Amino acid sequence: QSAIGAARKLGIMVTGKKRSSLDVADEGLDLNAWAGAYGIELQHLESWSGQGKTIFWTTEQTFLRCDMHGYDNCKYDSDGLGAGVRGDAAQINGRADRAGAQRKFEPFRGSGAVVNKDKLVIKGDDRGVGARKNEDFFYNYKAQAWWSLRDRCDKTPRAEQYGAVVPPDELISISENLPPAMRTKLIAELSQPTYDINNTGKVLVDKTPDGTRSPNHADAVMILFAPEEKKSSLFG
């Protein structure tokens, strides 16, 4: 709730990269969900049914939204059903009749390894006792991405309500221009995932606890704000 209009309430001038994401659904009751952000602000969130349609059609719908809202890239869930999006996107980019610009589609593999594996999640004491690195703390990239989004949602109300000094790039702001029904849906889905610790002490995330459905909109936002591998130094 605190994230709604957070940039305005905190007086933050939003800057950064424009990017989008896609959570791919099957032909059943789940929805395809597409999200777009500028810097820390979630600007767009849309969903549509894939019932009776193909993944190629879903990829086309994603291109249309990127064209309409000016996003030149899209990160898509490449585990399972989304595996075919890469080839479909390449085919659409190469079509002679395509009027829009080229769009870069990048895979998000939640089942893959964590990024920035040596970065400390827990610093430990002065001697480093109790310190935990990303590779020691998270079971996979999906758990790391959900945890990163959790941190943003935790830091935002602390900055907004209690005046905590937090770098703006570590927060999240949900645009007040999103339809109220979509904001309500997203907040409910963001509140759904739970976590557990496996027998090696690593965090596992369960996005569909018993009695719940896949949180497609929240998945798209999670992918959108997932941490990325730190690049090499400028002079490296």
Side-chain angles (χ1 to χ4, degrees):
Q1 290 286 356
S2 295
I4 298 173
R8 176 187 60 78
K9 289 182 282 189
L10 289 167
I12 296 171
M13 180 179 291
V14 178
T15 57
K17 181 181 179 181
K18 287 194 71 174
R19 62 208 186 279
S20 70
S21 62
L22 172 68
D23 182 54
V24 184
D26 58 21
E27 296 184 27
L29 296 176
D30 282 346
L31 298 175
N32 296 287
W34 175 84
Y38 174 41
I40 65 167
E41 184 163 77
L42 176 68
Q43 294 181 323
H44 300 100
L45 184 59
E46 302 179 30
S47 58
W48 62 92
S49 172
Q51 194 163 10
K53 304 294 185 179
T54 64
I55 301 299
F56 187 89
W57 180 84
T58 291
T59 308
E60 285 186 311
Q61 294 301 305
T62 304
F63 266 83
L64 289 173
R65 285 159 175 80
C66 288
D67 290 345
M68 183 183 303
H69 299 297
Y71 294 96
D72 64 6
N73 65 83
C74 182
K75 188 177 290 185
Y76 63 94
D77 182 2
S78 64
D79 284 333
L81 291 167
V85 169
R86 180 179 181 178
D88 292 343
Q91 186 174 340
I92 294 169
N93 269 323
R95 281 197 327 210
D97 64 343
R98 173 156 173 76
Q102 296 279 300
R103 306 295 176 197
K104 184 178 181 181
F105 275 63
E106 300 175 290
F108 169 89
R109 290 194 64 248
S111 62
V114 301
V115 298
N116 305 316
K117 63 181 183 179
D118 292 325
K119 182 179 179 181
L120 291 177
V121 182
I122 301 174
K123 294 182 179 179
D125 62 19
D126 293 340
R127 294 176 298 169
V129 176
R132 299 279 299 278
K133 299 177 182 179
N134 280 329
E135 66 175 351
D136 300 319
F137 194 80
F138 300 110
Y139 177 71
N140 57 15
Y141 187 31
K142 181 181 77 170
Q144 184 182 19
W146 273 112
W147 199 270
S148 175
L149 183 57
R150 172 187 188 267
D151 280 347
R152 288 180 180 274
C153 291
D154 176 58
K155 291 174 180 176
T156 299
R158 288 199 281 117
E160 185 181 310
Q161 299 173 22
Y162 306 110
V165 179
V166 182
D169 285 351
E170 296 180 10
L171 306 177
I172 183 172
S173 181
I174 298 173
S175 173
E176 293 164 295
N177 293 326
L178 285 184
M182 184 60 77
R183 295 201 306 259
T184 299
K185 178 71 172 174
L186 173 61
I187 289 169
E189 289 189 0
L190 287 173
S191 304
Q192 176 176 303
T194 61
Y195 76 92
D196 200 354
I197 308 297
N198 72 5
N199 57 8
T200 63
K202 295 182 180 180
V203 170
L204 284 166
V205 170
D206 181 6
K207 67 177 184 178
T208 52
D210 291 346
T212 63
R213 290 171 54 183
S214 182
N216 306 105
H217 304 83
D219 265 329
V221 175
M222 175 270 293
I223 294 170
L224 192 62
F225 284 92
E228 297 185 352
E229 186 71 53
K230 185 178 180 182
K231 304 300 182 184
S232 302
S233 75
L234 183 62
F235 299 101

